[in-house]
């Protein structure tokens, strides 16, 4: 319901700005036939990127622009070639989930004069440029902070917490940001935090399930399972079920507030997740791409960071009190 409400708000906002009834701060110029290439790899079992793309396409269509997706198929070479040919194929701007965020300079060189809005996998800030190369996402560090706050509240009476931590892809900006602030928040609490098992489960359900099963088989004792995303949390749930671990006694946390994640909270299998607004991220990225394609500036967007290089769409906490609102 919450996601549907956000979509309705987005459409109303588009209608107001698109019909010329408002020129408020942060409003985008008209689409005017702008054509945007969105290059990314689809991930089986993880609908986040496709939802982001749908948000971008819906926004673009509402203002007379178009977003066309080209799937990189986990190939950096394919992604670079796609970007290289974008201008000659009539595209005015690029949205990109980089196959490898460390190659941002290569991607920018391939784009020529076209602006790029990076999404979901953050390049180094040094590769970004005001009104040219922008990163649009939710601030990953906030997700880790929210997880840490929930854990410390849950274990407020305990002096020591044994944590099983499942991280995403090694080097991915979401993995780095979420893990860093989670640990900072927990470690600053004054409690003794033991990371009894920690590994990269690559945002994957099956890998997470295997790791938790392995930890149990080795007799590792843990009080809580913390995951960088809901897909891994689902794997942790399955592993607990494999080993007859009562889920009411084993709190599991994720990030993204996927349909499965929210339903797991409602069903008592998970306790907490963080809503990463995929469709609003896509809409904001498309809005920025259109503005830059038209030669405008995004420096007065409401979501712009102080350094003018990032567009931040806020995370939101989800637990048993509000999970049904995000289905």
């Amino acid at each position: 319901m919450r996601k549907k409400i956000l979509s309705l708000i987005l459409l109303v906002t588009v209608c107001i700005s698109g019909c010329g009834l408002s020129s408020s701060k942060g409003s985008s110029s008209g689409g005017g036939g702008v054509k945007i290439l969105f290059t990314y790899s689809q991930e089986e079992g993880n609908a986040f990127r496709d939802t982001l793309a749908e948000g971008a396409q819906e926004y673009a269509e509402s203002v007379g622009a178009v977003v066309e997706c080209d799937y990189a198929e986990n190939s950096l070479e394919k992604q670079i070639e796609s970007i290289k040919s974008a201008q000659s194929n009539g595209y005015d701007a690029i949205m990109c989930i980089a196959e490898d965020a460390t190659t941002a300079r290569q991607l920018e060189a391939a784009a020529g004069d076209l602006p790029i809005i990076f999404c979901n996998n953050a390049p180094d800030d040094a590769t970004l440029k005001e009104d040219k190369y922008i990163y649009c996402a939710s601030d990953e560090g906030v997700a880790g902070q929210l997880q840490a706050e929930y854990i410390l509240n849950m274990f407020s009476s305990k002096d020591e917490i044994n944590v099983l931590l499942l991280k995403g892809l090694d080097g991915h900006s979401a993995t780095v940001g979420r893990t860093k602030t989670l640990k900072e928040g927990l470690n600053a609490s004054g409690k003794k935090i033991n990371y009894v098992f920690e590994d990269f489960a690559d945002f994957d359900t099956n890998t997470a399930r295997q790791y938790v099963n392995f930890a149990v088989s080795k007799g590792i004792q843990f009080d809580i399972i913390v995951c960088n995303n809901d897909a891994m949390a689902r794997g942790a749930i399955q592993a607990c079920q494999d080993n007859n671990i009562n889920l009411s006694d084993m709190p599991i946390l994720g990030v993204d507030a996927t349909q499965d994640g929210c339903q797991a909270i409602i069903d008592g299998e998970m306790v907490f997740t963080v809503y990463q607004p995929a469709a609003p991220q896509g809409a904001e990225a498309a809005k920025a791409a259109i503005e830059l394609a038209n030669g405008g500036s995004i420096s007065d967007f409401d979501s712009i960071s102080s350094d003018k290089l990032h567009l931040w769409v806020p995370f939101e906490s989800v637990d048993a009190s509000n999970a049904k609102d995000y289905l």
Side-chain angles (χ1 to χ4, degrees):
M1 179 63 71
R2 170 68 172 166
K3 295 175 184 178
K4 292 178 182 177
I5 291 172
L6 286 172
S7 297
L8 287 172
I9 291 172
L10 171 62
L11 288 174
V12 170
T13 303
V14 167
C15 238
I16 293 173
S17 60
C19 295
L21 298 178
S22 171
S23 58
S24 63
K25 179 181 176 182
S27 64
S28 175
S29 55
V34 169
K35 189 177 174 184
I36 302 165
L37 172 71
F38 188 11
T39 169
Y40 72 100
S41 289
Q42 292 176 303
E43 296 180 332
E44 186 177 352
N46 187 349
F48 178 84
R49 293 180 172 191
D50 291 336
T51 303
L52 192 152
E54 290 165 7
Q57 289 172 324
E58 288 176 9
Y59 178 86
E61 182 180 359
S62 71
V63 295
V66 62
V67 173
E68 295 182 353
C69 297
D70 183 80
Y71 304 115
E73 299 174 351
N74 298 305
S75 168
L76 175 61
E77 291 74 19
K78 179 175 173 59
Q79 187 165 65
I80 289 174
E81 286 306 312
S82 177
I83 291 174
K84 274 185 179 178
S85 62
Q87 197 157 18
S88 61
N89 287 334
Y91 292 100
D92 306 294
I94 294 166
M95 289 175 56
C96 174
I97 300 178
E99 288 300 308
D100 180 350
T102 66
T103 64
R105 295 285 191 200
Q106 288 177 260
L107 301 177
E108 291 164 3
D113 294 331
L114 298 184
I116 301 179
I117 309 298
F118 293 99
C119 307
N120 194 236
N121 191 14
D124 189 275
D125 286 359
T127 66
L128 300 177
K129 182 179 179 181
E130 185 176 345
D131 286 334
K132 184 71 172 181
Y133 307 124
I134 304 297
Y135 182 60
C136 178
S138 297
D139 186 348
E140 301 293 0
V142 174
Q145 291 171 4
L146 293 173
Q147 284 185 322
E149 290 170 7
Y150 186 89
I151 294 166
L152 293 174
N153 183 61
M154 170 174 277
F155 291 96
S156 59
S157 62
K158 290 194 66 171
D159 296 326
E160 185 172 355
I161 308 173
N162 293 324
V163 178
L164 189 156
L165 176 58
L166 297 177
K167 300 179 290 189
L169 289 164
D170 189 5
H172 192 286
S173 60
T175 302
V176 174
R178 295 172 190 182
T179 303
K180 180 176 182 289
T181 53
L182 167 73
K183 288 187 171 183
E184 286 175 348
L186 294 179
N187 296 343
S189 67
K191 298 178 184 293
K192 184 178 181 183
I193 309 296
N194 305 312
Y195 300 96
V196 294
F197 182 92
E198 177 180 350
D199 211 334
F200 298 100
D202 301 338
F203 297 122
D204 180 70
T205 297
N206 289 332
T207 305
R209 184 178 188 174
Q210 291 168 11
Y211 281 172
V212 176
N213 276 326
F214 174 80
V216 173
S217 74
K218 293 300 181 182
I220 296 172
Q221 300 295 311
F222 44 91
D223 301 312
I224 190 167
I225 302 173
V226 187
C227 308
N228 279 166
N229 81 337
D230 287 350
M232 293 187 295
R234 169 56 58 187
I237 291 167
Q238 292 169 352
C240 288
Q241 293 168 334
D242 293 339
N243 293 280
N244 296 314
I245 295 173
N246 190 336
L247 289 167
S248 64
D249 298 327
M250 181 53 61
I252 298 174
L253 286 73
V255 178
D256 285 341
T258 62
Q259 295 289 295
D260 284 348
C262 292
Q263 190 61 53
I265 292 176
I266 292 169
D267 293 341
E269 298 173 337
M270 216 169 117
V271 296
F272 184 79
T273 187
V274 184
Y275 173 50
Q276 181 176 194
Q281 281 184 22
E284 191 73 357
K287 178 181 173 184
I290 292 166
E291 189 70 39
L292 298 183
N294 284 330
S297 171
I298 62 170
S299 62
D300 63 348
F301 273 33
D302 292 332
S303 60
I304 196 74
S305 60
S306 58
D307 61 14
K308 308 295 185 183
L309 303 177
H310 305 83
L311 296 170
W312 294 132
V313 182
F315 279 110
E316 300 174 19
S317 297
V318 181
D319 59 19
S321 70
N322 63 348
K324 65 181 183 300
D325 297 331
Y326 290 82
L327 289 174

